[in-house]
Amino acid sequence: MPDATAHSPDFGAWAELDAPPRLLLVDDEPANLQLLRQVLEGEYRLSFARSGTEALRRVREAPPQLIVLDVMMPGMSGHDVLRLLKADPATADIPVLFCTALDADEDEAAGLALGAVDYVTKPISPPVLRARIRNHLALVQRDEVERTRLEVIRRLGRAAEFKDNETGRHVIRMSHTSRLIAQELGAPRRYADLLLAAAPMHDIGKIGVPDAILLKPGKLDEAEWAVMRQHPQMGADIIGEDASPLLRMARTIALQHHEKWDGSGYPHGLKGEAISPEARIVAVADVFDALTSARPYKPAWPRERALALLQEQSGRHFWPDAVQALLRRLDDIWAVHLAWRDEDVA
């Protein structure tokens, strides 16, 4: 039976997870701050400042999720405050909503040009202000979820590389190479950016391959190859089904990056355009980087030898368009290779 006298543990900063969002309200007029308090209290944790200097100090002490900021204040104006917030990486992403009596179109345009997320004029409409704040906080939360998802994917990609005796820099190089190839092929910007983020997950399925097979110094026998060929499906299973475009692309790449243009690849023997464009691109980027990078079991190939193999296998292993795109962007791709080279590999 639980001890009724026991104290609850101190979860410290984690208690913030259940706390309402924190807003900082900045206005030099006490009556305006009092009105904002009446409109917003109960739904948010509120802190107040009556000058730009005080506002910056409060941001440093307890960063808010959003700032409601007056423009016309003595000394430091709201525009000055926003410029300083944007100049500091620690505060640049805090959304700022201007709340001001300046109601001309050019005033609103100037505030938004400085980086404000919204512009509300006085006298305020309480329902409008509450709705604007809720919308911007929802966007902040969505951006945080997306940022966290990207970081998880990067870390899982690195986990697979470390298990395979690779280095974390391989996934960086091949991901940037994949995006450059996609750009050269005319892919939409959003597609190319998703490819950069999803490509590191291509070999996540190797987490499920026994070390005795994955790290075997010699050639694999037929039974061992049968296990190794399961890693694309394992990767797809690890990533799972999800509505996120990023995770959908990552799953497709994990599943198909060992398929070959002529249909001789695995796990499903897909051929030609039945293979997704992202998997075809990653296949070229992955092999090129693997060939031109040193590993404990092999030296790096000279660039010309690696390119000769890609061209020889164009139309067989590789999508010819992707090979040609790599050749056209070779200077940029090689700059990535040099910027992220594996200096610690013999």
Side-chain angles (χ1 to χ4, degrees):
M1 182 175 179
D3 181 0
T5 64
H7 295 291
S8 297
D10 180 10
F11 291 106
W14 294 104
E16 290 276 323
L17 294 175
D18 286 333
R22 184 193 305 277
L23 306 186
L24 173 61
L25 312 178
V26 187
D27 199 300
D28 63 304
E29 292 290 341
N32 291 335
L33 291 178
Q34 181 60 30
L35 177 60
L36 290 172
R37 180 199 292 271
Q38 292 171 1
V39 171
L40 300 170
E41 68 181 350
E43 192 172 355
Y44 303 106
R45 291 176 296 163
L46 304 177
S47 57
F48 305 89
R50 292 185 57 186
S51 71
T53 301
E54 184 183 4
L56 294 172
R57 186 177 73 249
R58 291 197 179 279
V59 169
R60 290 191 295 269
E61 292 170 352
Q65 275 73 56
L66 184 141
I67 301 171
V68 179
L69 179 62
D70 188 20
V71 173
M72 294 185 297
M73 296 185 294
M76 185 183 295
S77 72
H79 289 171
D80 295 331
V81 173
L82 182 54
R83 289 189 186 95
L84 291 171
L85 290 171
K86 291 298 182 184
D88 185 346
T91 59
D93 292 332
I94 300 174
V96 173
L97 183 154
F98 277 132
C99 184
T100 176
L102 297 173
D103 59 359
D105 289 345
E106 55 267 29
D107 294 321
E108 180 175 356
L112 296 176
L114 287 172
V117 298
D118 213 334
Y119 195 95
V120 175
T121 57
K122 300 172 183 176
I124 65 168
S125 164
V128 168
L129 179 62
R130 284 193 289 261
R132 299 278 184 89
I133 289 174
R134 282 195 299 269
N135 289 342
H136 289 297
L137 289 175
L139 289 173
V140 170
Q141 186 178 44
R142 187 191 69 182
D143 290 345
E144 175 63 17
V145 168
E146 185 67 14
R147 187 192 65 79
T148 302
R149 181 183 284 132
L150 284 169
E151 288 303 315
V152 169
I153 284 177
R154 291 189 184 107
R155 282 156 175 72
L156 283 173
R158 292 195 68 193
E161 297 299 330
F162 286 131
K163 180 176 171 65
D164 192 23
N165 234 351
E166 302 278 3
T167 74
R169 292 185 176 187
H170 167 66
V171 296
I172 295 173
R173 292 192 302 266
M174 60 82 60
S175 298
H176 282 278
T177 297
S178 296
R179 181 167 66 171
L180 287 166
I181 292 173
Q183 290 172 339
E184 182 63 25
L185 291 169
R189 182 191 61 79
R190 176 64 172 156
Y191 179 96
D193 289 345
L194 282 174
L195 185 57
L196 173 70
M201 292 285 279
H202 68 292
D203 267 341
I204 189 62
K206 287 184 177 179
I207 290 176
V209 177
D211 286 352
I213 295 175
L214 194 62
L215 304 179
K216 184 177 178 179
K219 292 184 177 180
L220 301 182
D221 61 31
E222 186 175 341
E224 291 166 335
W225 262 116
V227 174
M228 179 64 83
R229 289 192 183 99
Q230 295 174 20
H231 86 265
Q233 185 62 57
M234 291 178 185
D237 293 342
I238 288 170
I239 297 168
E241 301 282 355
D242 192 273
S244 160
L246 173 59
L247 291 178
R248 289 205 313 270
M249 182 181 283
R251 185 182 188 278
T252 299
I253 291 170
L255 183 62
Q256 297 182 1
H257 72 285
H258 281 296
E259 302 288 0
K260 295 183 180 181
W261 185 252
D262 64 3
S264 64
Y266 64 91
H268 299 303
L270 299 180
K271 181 178 181 180
E273 293 187 357
I275 308 166
S276 70
E278 51 267 27
R280 296 180 234 161
I281 290 169
V282 166
V284 172
D286 186 35
V287 171
F288 177 71
D289 188 77
L291 292 175
T292 55
S293 302
R295 293 293 178 263
Y297 50 84
K298 77 166 189 71
W301 283 25
R303 185 175 68 174
E304 291 71 20
R305 181 184 174 191
L307 293 173
L309 183 140
L310 290 182
Q311 291 174 291
E312 189 269 329
Q313 288 293 318
S314 178
R316 298 163 64 182
H317 185 159
F318 304 114
W319 181 25
D321 289 357
V323 173
Q324 291 304 310
L326 180 144
L327 292 172
R328 291 194 298 270
R329 295 299 296 270
L330 186 59
D331 288 346
D332 295 330
I333 289 168
W334 199 247
V336 169
H337 182 92
L338 295 176
W340 294 96
R341 60 184 178 272
D342 296 316
E343 297 175 345
D344 56 338
V345 177

